[in-house]
Amino acid sequence: MLKPTLVVLAAGIGSRYGGLKQIDPIGPNGELIIDYSIYDALESGFGQVVFVISEAIEEPFRERVGRTCESQCETTYVFQSLDDVPKDFKVPPNRQKPWGTAHATWSCRNVVHTPFAVINADDFYGRSAYQALCDHLRSVWDSAAVNAYCMVSYLLENTLSEHGHVSRGVCTVNQDGYLVEIHERTHIERFGQVAKYTEDKETWVEIPRGTPVSMNIWGFTPSLFSELEILFPHLLQEHSHDILKAEFLLPVAVGDLIRNERAMVKTLPAHETWFGVTYQEDKPKARQAMRDLIHRGVYPDNLWAKAP
């Protein structure tokens, strides 16, 4: 049985964070969030790792990650390039930022040939998320008409930063546990015990407690690449009026596939509290959370001393 692949989206520079948050340590021996993600994935049965990075951070990223991941499993690096677009599309000269998370995932189309998971480099998801993904991906199959994907969902209130707004995919799930809709909300903030989102920074809409959200941790079969191949040109055409800012986002692409009956997405609820480093101010809390997990015996004090 082929082991699933872990795809780590690590191309973002982290403008709100103020630096390369992907290689900022939170563990007692300089471990990164990525280290804990890889450790959890390998412990859960994943067999290889593909990092999607930008060429601009290749040297520091490979130097740091090469000390750990490459010694534990097969490791591949893929560049997310602004020029990696459909052949009939010409990149505007003033466009600077990459095309988003769906584009980053599509960048792996030539190196990923097994069922695979996609995660953010700077989010801590918890061991149970990787175990649930691996178990699902080992038994997944696509029918002739519908692609079988999955997503780990979290409760919104467990995913907010205390230091600013966050972006989350707000989900509607049916009684059978399948994703019905997902709406990417790019500006969600905490107001006491209440979470609200805005699209114009004037009108705020409350999101009920207990709402499942996507933290960009997905499970796919390689069929996704051909689906993205179809969706990407449509995105570029639809956003010709704002092409300098347009993004090809994974939650939006998945939502399109669900609406077009091209995919069924099983939600795998996570029980851990997410933490990450969206802002510099998030780092002390992330470090304390990791110390607590080490104290509880979830992770060894020296992570890679007992690596798989």
Side-chain angles (χ1 to χ4, degrees):
M1 181 181 297
L2 291 175
K3 292 186 176 182
T5 298
L6 181 69
V7 173
V8 182
L9 305 185
I13 296 299
S15 57
R16 284 177 294 175
Y17 185 73
L20 295 181
K21 58 185 175 181
Q22 297 93 336
I23 55 174
D24 206 350
I26 65 163
N29 294 282
E31 294 91 347
L32 318 176
I33 285 182
I34 300 175
D35 287 317
Y36 291 100
S37 296
I38 296 167
Y39 184 89
D40 281 341
L42 296 181
E43 284 280 314
S44 300
F46 284 81
Q48 60 177 325
V49 175
V50 175
F51 291 109
V52 183
I53 62 175
S54 70
E55 193 168 0
I57 66 170
E58 179 186 12
E59 185 175 347
F61 189 92
R62 293 194 67 160
E63 179 182 352
R64 175 56 183 88
V65 175
R67 291 191 287 117
T68 53
C69 186
E70 293 175 13
S71 65
Q72 306 302 326
C73 66
E74 180 182 344
T75 305
T76 304
Y77 297 87
V78 172
F79 291 146
Q80 182 181 12
S81 171
L82 186 61
D83 296 325
D84 185 14
V85 293
K87 62 180 180 179
D88 296 328
F89 179 77
K90 186 175 181 179
V91 178
N94 293 330
R95 174 84 188 200
Q96 296 182 349
K97 64 186 300 185
W99 297 102
T101 52
H103 177 257
T105 304
W106 184 61
S107 301
C108 300
R109 62 195 180 276
N110 294 323
V111 300
V112 174
H113 307 292
T114 67
F116 63 100
V118 176
I119 66 167
N120 290 338
D122 53 349
D123 290 316
F124 175 85
Y125 296 106
R127 177 76 53 80
S128 67
Y130 294 96
Q131 192 64 65
L133 276 172
C134 192
D135 291 345
H136 184 90
L137 292 172
R138 280 175 160 168
S139 61
V140 72
W141 56 275
D142 295 326
S143 72
V146 181
N147 300 307
Y149 304 148
C150 65
M151 180 200 80
V152 177
S153 65
Y154 292 77
L155 298 180
L156 173 65
E157 57 267 27
N158 290 340
T159 72
L160 301 176
S161 172
E162 298 175 356
H163 305 290
H165 72 272
V166 296
S167 176
R168 301 287 181 259
V170 179
C171 301
T172 301
V173 179
N174 67 20
Q175 61 182 5
D176 296 319
Y178 284 90
L179 188 62
V180 176
E181 291 182 317
I182 181 167
H183 296 284
E184 186 73 2
R185 305 302 185 190
T186 59
H187 194 121
I188 301 176
E189 288 191 36
R190 185 195 299 272
F191 295 84
Q193 297 300 310
V194 176
K196 299 180 181 180
Y197 77 88
T198 182
E199 295 182 349
D200 57 11
K201 297 185 180 179
E202 294 183 2
T203 303
W204 292 85
V205 180
E206 183 175 341
I207 307 174
R209 285 182 62 85
T211 296
V213 297
S214 165
M215 292 299 304
N216 225 38
I217 175 168
W218 302 89
F220 298 111
T221 62
S223 64
L224 179 73
F225 299 124
S226 59
E227 298 291 353
L228 296 180
E229 188 96 23
I230 296 170
L231 291 175
F232 193 17
H234 290 300
L235 178 281
L236 296 172
Q237 184 176 5
E238 290 173 2
H239 287 270
S240 59
H241 62 288
D242 63 345
I243 198 63
L244 296 183
K245 296 181 179 180
E247 288 190 273
F248 189 30
L249 299 175
L250 204 47
V252 176
V254 171
D256 286 343
L257 294 176
I258 293 172
R259 282 191 298 275
N260 295 327
E261 299 183 346
R262 294 293 304 156
M264 294 183 65
V265 180
K266 182 71 172 179
T267 58
L268 311 172
H271 304 292
E272 287 100 343
T273 296
W274 164 92
F275 66 81
V277 285
T278 304
Y279 301 91
Q280 282 281 358
E281 294 85 353
D282 291 327
K283 189 162 59 175
K285 184 176 180 180
R287 285 178 168 171
Q288 182 59 54
M290 189 53 64
R291 285 195 293 269
D292 292 342
L293 289 169
I294 292 170
H295 181 72
R296 287 162 44 195
V298 177
Y299 299 104
D301 182 68
N302 189 335
L303 185 67
W304 294 113
K306 298 182 180 180

